[in-house]
């Protein structure tokens, strides 16, 4: 008895087809999805089954650190903590991510930590939930990470020219928006590219940019999630175009812009929530028409180009009178960060809050203690380190409990020689199983 192709389609495949047909009905325009945090907000109070935020009070947890760590070890997979750091998964997206993961697995791809729910969902959203196109983008991402040495950059790269670069290229993170997302600001009109290239090189600046992207994924979003008590997974950005002229778009400037745009679009998709381009004069608007050709349609939908009367639009996203002074004085706020040498040198935000950093450290320690007890001490120690070297989040998986463990427990044991042999044998068996399944698929389809 032959099974029809339609009957063999999984619910996830049907959902992909439904979304794809919606995409086709809209012509060549890409779908514009809601913010990536949309399905990751905490449920209403009555849905939390008695969960109280007092359990997550930072000062209380620090006062009773040993008690807190013991509690975390016992409840490391608790729903309440997962909702904060990982977010509540939308059932349809969860199904699609699982189908994507299974596709990669059956085709012999074992990406390790990079197959977590959030990473896979970002690439699915980027490719309108087309599994085949998402797979191509995702594998290119893994190849780029290896060739560019991203893991080594995140761990070892030192940008000694940091302060000098900030003076000739004013940019940086400064607080959060009203939702709790990191706020990133650049003053493009004040960029002195000749001076920039005297203190650093294009290659080193791109490595610095990648290191900052990694820090945002692994440290800034986690800290912002704890501070806002809801999942944070994207950034709000402001580009100040005041005094921008033709010299700001010289050939080296265009090269740098396109390289950064390629990295962000291809390898860190769906991390931009909103971009406000302010003080955009007539000259820039002409250039903007040319620049738009290089940007993804979905990215364009997140961008607002504003003139000098930008304030009303900006304060919808950022509170200029917040206690944390998230807007610098040059944007109408009241912050100067005089004690740090200026707003762009402060890197102010929840990720530098000492109590939140200790909270994240306690969570990493509890994960290690749990792993040591469960795996006989084979899990490697993981430490959080700030720029001062005391706290470092090596990977988001270190602090975000997920259900995507699969090969994770074997991966944690990779420091042990016997375990490595087991992993190699297991991967060999999987490859053989993959060949068998491909044969079965051909037989069924024939």
């Amino acid at each position: 008895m032959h099974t029809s192709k339609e009957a063999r389609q999984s619910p996830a495949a049907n959902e992909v087809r439904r979304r794809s047909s919606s995409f086709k009905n809209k012509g060549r325009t890409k779908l514009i999805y809601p913010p990536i945090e949309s399905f990751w907000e905490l449920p209403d109070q009555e849905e939390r089954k008695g969960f109280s935020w007092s359990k997550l009070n930072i000062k209380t947890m620090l006062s009773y650190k040993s008690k807190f760590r013991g509690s975390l070890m016992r409840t490391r997979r608790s729903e309440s903590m997962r909702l904060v750091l990982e977010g509540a998964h939308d059932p349809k997206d969860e199904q699609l991510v699982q189908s994507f993961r299974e596709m990669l697995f059956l085709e012999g791809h074992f990406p390790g930590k990079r197959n977590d729910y959030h990473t896979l969902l970002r690439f699915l959203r980027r490719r309108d939930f087309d599994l085949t196109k998402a797979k191509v983008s995702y594998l290119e991402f893994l190849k780029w990470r290896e060739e560019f040495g991203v893991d080594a950059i995140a761990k070892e790269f030192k940008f000694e020219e940091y302060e000098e670069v900030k003076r000739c290229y004013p940019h940086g993170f400064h607080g959060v928006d009203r939702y709790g997302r990191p706020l990133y600001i650049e003053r493009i009109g004040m960029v002195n590219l000749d001076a920039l290239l005297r203190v650093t090189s294009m290659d080193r600046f791109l490595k610095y940019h990648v290191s900052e992207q990694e820090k945002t994924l692994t440290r800034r979003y986690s800290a912002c999630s704890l501070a806002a008590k809801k999942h944070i997974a994207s950034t709000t950005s402001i580009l100040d175009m005041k005094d921008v002229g033709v010299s700001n778009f010289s050939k080296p400037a265009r090269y740098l812009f396109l390289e950064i745009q390629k990295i962000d679009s291809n390898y860190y998709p769906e991390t931009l929530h909103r971009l406000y381009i302010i003080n955009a004069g007539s000259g820039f608007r002409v250039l903007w028409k040319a620049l738009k050709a290089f940007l993804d349609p979905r990215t364009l939908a997140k961008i607002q180009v504003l003139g000098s009367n930008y304030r009303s639009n900006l304060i919808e996203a950022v509170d200029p009178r917040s206690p944390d002074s998230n807007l610098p004085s040059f944007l109408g706020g009241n912050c100067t960060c005089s004690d740090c040498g200026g707003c762009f040198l402060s890197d102010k935000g929840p990720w530098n809050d000492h109590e939140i950093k200790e909270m994240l450290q306690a969570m990493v320690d509890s994960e290690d203690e749990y792993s040591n007890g469960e795996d006989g001490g084979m899990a490697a120690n993981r430490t959080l380190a700030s720029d001062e070297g005391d706290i470092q989040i090596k990977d988001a998986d270190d602090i975000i409990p997920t259900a995507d463990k699969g090969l994770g427990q074997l991966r944690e044991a990779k420091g042990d020689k016997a375990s490595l042999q087991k992993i190699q044998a297991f991967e060999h068996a999987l490859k053989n199983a993959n060949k068998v399944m491909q044969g079965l698929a051909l037989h069924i389809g024939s």
Side-chain angles (χ1 to χ4, degrees), residues 103-358:
M103 171 192 279
L104 293 168
F105 182 82
L106 291 175
E107 294 185 10
H109 304 296
F110 308 103
K113 284 186 176 183
R114 306 299 165 192
N115 75 339
D116 63 278
Y117 173 84
H118 301 303
T119 300
L120 296 183
L121 180 61
R122 291 183 194 279
F123 281 92
L124 283 169
R125 284 171 63 109
R126 180 178 181 239
R127 293 303 185 189
D128 297 305
F129 291 88
D130 183 310
L131 296 181
T132 302
K133 291 182 179 179
K135 182 193 73 173
V136 172
S137 294
Y138 178 68
L139 295 179
E140 288 174 352
F141 157 74
L142 295 179
K143 182 181 179 182
W144 169 78
R145 288 189 69 90
E146 183 177 356
E147 292 178 348
F148 201 73
V150 176
D151 290 337
I153 289 172
K155 183 180 178 182
E156 302 166 3
F157 182 71
K158 302 296 182 186
F159 199 56
E160 293 88 356
E161 59 268 42
Y162 177 82
E163 291 191 14
E164 292 177 282
V165 165
K166 292 275 186 171
R167 292 190 186 97
C168 48
Y169 187 164
H171 70 283
F173 285 89
H174 192 272
V176 297
D177 67 8
R178 289 181 184 270
Y179 188 86
R181 301 179 182 92
L183 181 64
Y184 177 80
I185 305 169
E186 284 191 16
R187 303 190 76 178
I188 302 296
M190 297 179 67
V191 173
N192 185 333
L193 194 62
D194 291 336
L196 177 70
L197 295 178
R198 284 196 293 269
V199 298
T200 192
S201 65
M202 290 284 192
D203 180 64
R204 282 187 59 78
F205 189 86
L206 290 174
K207 286 181 178 178
Y208 158 70
H209 178 75
V210 168
S211 71
E212 285 295 302
Q213 286 284 42
E214 290 292 301
K215 188 185 295 184
T216 298
L217 283 178
T218 59
R219 180 145 67 94
R220 292 190 176 101
Y221 289 158
S222 299
C224 287
S225 296
L226 290 179
K229 299 177 182 177
K230 56 190 172 187
H231 184 75
I232 300 297
S234 59
T235 302
T236 293
S237 299
I238 302 171
L239 296 189
D240 185 0
M241 309 303 292
K242 185 178 181 181
D243 299 326
V244 165
V246 176
S247 61
N248 293 101
F249 293 92
S250 61
K251 186 175 180 179
R254 291 197 304 272
Y255 170 80
L256 187 60
F257 167 79
L258 292 176
E259 285 299 304
I260 289 175
Q261 188 274 330
K262 182 176 72 174
I263 288 171
D264 292 351
S265 177
N266 293 345
Y267 311 128
Y268 298 95
E270 299 292 322
T271 55
L272 175 66
H273 170 66
R274 184 73 65 191
L275 170 60
Y276 296 91
I277 300 178
I278 64 171
N279 289 317
S282 57
F284 172 77
R285 291 177 186 272
V286 172
L287 290 170
W288 176 242
K289 290 182 179 180
L291 292 174
K292 288 197 297 185
F294 298 99
L295 297 176
D296 181 86
R298 191 175 298 112
T299 300
L300 281 173
K302 300 176 181 179
I303 298 174
Q304 287 189 37
V305 179
L306 307 168
S308 56
N309 297 320
Y310 60 83
R311 183 174 171 79
S312 60
N313 296 79
L314 208 57
I315 61 177
E316 288 181 9
V318 186
D319 184 0
R321 299 178 301 278
S322 68
D324 295 325
S325 300
N326 294 321
L327 271 185
S329 57
F330 60 82
L331 292 179
N334 56 10
C335 183
T336 59
C337 291
S338 55
D339 56 333
C340 301
C343 291
F344 289 128
L345 290 174
S346 68
D347 192 29
K348 69 181 295 181
W351 49 91
N352 281 323
D353 182 280
H354 181 72
E355 293 177 346
I356 289 179
K357 289 198 293 186
E358 286 207 24

Side-chain angles (χ1 to χ4, degrees), residues 17 23 49 66 140 148 210 220 372 387 397 440:
R17 190 169 61 253
F23 170 70
K49 298 180 181 179
S66 60
E140 288 174 352
F148 201 73
V210 168
R220 292 190 176 101
N372 287 336
D387 294 334
D397 282 1
L440 285 172

